[in-house]
Amino acid sequence: MSHPFQAFLWVVYPYFMLGSFIFGTIIRFAFFHPSITAKSSEFLEKKHLIIGSILFHVGIIGVFFGHIAGIFIPKAWTDALGITNEMYHIFALSAGGVFGLMATVGVYMLCIRRFHDHRVFHASSTGDLLVILGLTAEITLGMLSSFLISPQVPDFNYRTTIAPWARGLFMFHPDYHLMMGIPFLYKCHVFFGLLIFGAFPYTRLVHAMTVPLHYIKRRFIVYRRRPNL
């Protein structure tokens, strides 16, 4: 690929997606707050929803924070603490494998449920279908990159390529050359991950920003049996 295209792919496109995420979220909360909801289909099918949803949410939270740690903790810091590259990767693959497997099983259960159960499918919007397909593709790409491609390319280290590039985005000095030599599936994983971030404010995913902390202090609701007349 030409260098101008690479520059667009790893400099312009990421800022466009991140800008869409930030400003889209602000606009959604400021002007369309009543539309922020996770429309439930529990009354249509409950068993697979509960299992898949718990696995997906617990898994994706672990995977998300694992990505944050992998990106924002430089290799030099762990080296200074005496943590070798092998030790780091063993821990990352072990923890990431557990949470990644949970997220994978959960998202596949939710995806199959969304498309296979005719009642759930017909009650779903186009956005619902695209979101679950996007999440399924992104998680699949991540698992394939980590556990299939990474062992085949032992010289590749995302901590010296993808992580510095990602940190450079937040420092407004990204080096797109770092992304040019990484395996193709990793590029796809990053590309679709940014696409999900860009689409985040305009889908049901935005409900993840509305943590119901007020429930902690909410008074209990007391139900009383209606007396027989």
Side-chain angles (χ1 to χ4, degrees):
M1 296 182 186
S2 64
H3 280 220
F5 181 74
Q6 292 284 350
F8 171 81
L9 201 59
W10 306 120
V11 178
V12 179
Y13 171 72
Y15 281 123
F16 184 77
M17 291 296 104
L18 292 174
S20 175
F21 171 79
I22 294 171
F23 293 108
T25 301
I26 293 174
I27 293 172
R28 182 77 182 269
F29 273 82
F31 300 102
F32 304 97
H33 196 277
S35 69
I36 299 175
T37 178
K39 184 176 62 176
S40 177
S41 58
E42 182 178 349
F43 68 97
L44 298 175
E45 194 284 324
K46 186 173 183 179
K47 180 180 177 181
H48 294 94
L49 173 64
I50 292 176
I51 299 173
S53 182
I54 292 175
L55 286 173
F56 170 73
H57 283 91
V58 173
I60 205 67
I61 290 172
V63 168
F64 175 77
F65 284 105
H67 278 60
I68 295 296
I71 290 173
F72 290 102
I73 299 179
K75 184 176 180 294
W77 292 13
T78 55
D79 290 344
L81 294 173
I83 302 174
T84 65
N85 199 49
E86 291 74 18
M87 293 168 58
Y88 178 90
H89 280 292
I90 289 173
F91 174 78
L93 288 176
S94 299
V98 172
F99 287 113
L101 182 61
M102 292 176 67
T104 301
V105 173
V107 79
Y108 270 88
M109 288 185 67
L110 295 176
C111 188
I112 293 172
R113 172 185 178 272
R114 180 71 62 179
F115 283 89
H116 186 262
D117 190 301
H118 71 278
R119 293 186 303 169
V120 177
F121 177 80
H122 289 295
S124 303
S125 66
T126 302
D128 293 336
L129 301 177
L130 291 176
V131 164
I132 194 64
L133 284 175
L135 291 173
T136 303
E138 176 65 3
I139 292 172
T140 302
L141 286 169
M143 293 295 284
L144 290 176
S145 299
S146 297
F147 296 98
L148 180 63
I149 300 302
S150 188
Q152 297 179 11
V153 191
D155 294 335
F156 169 70
N157 189 345
Y158 72 89
R159 302 184 71 203
T160 59
T161 52
I162 299 176
W165 164 79
R167 291 196 297 271
L169 288 173
F170 292 94
M171 297 169 62
F172 299 102
H173 188 65
D175 183 2
Y176 69 89
H177 296 92
L178 294 169
M179 297 293 290
M180 292 178 66
I182 70 172
F184 179 71
L185 279 185
Y186 275 93
K187 290 183 178 181
C188 292
H189 182 57
V190 175
F191 180 88
F192 282 107
L194 289 168
L195 183 62
I196 289 175
F197 266 97
F200 181 91
Y202 319 108
T203 66
R204 64 186 297 162
L205 291 175
V206 76
H207 81 273
M209 305 287 287
T210 58
V211 181
L213 296 178
H214 63 280
Y215 279 13
I216 299 175
K217 299 187 296 183
R218 189 182 67 172
R219 297 180 63 183
F220 288 105
I221 299 176
V222 178
Y223 291 92
R224 293 182 174 88
R225 183 186 298 275
R226 183 177 181 181
N228 294 326
L229 300 177

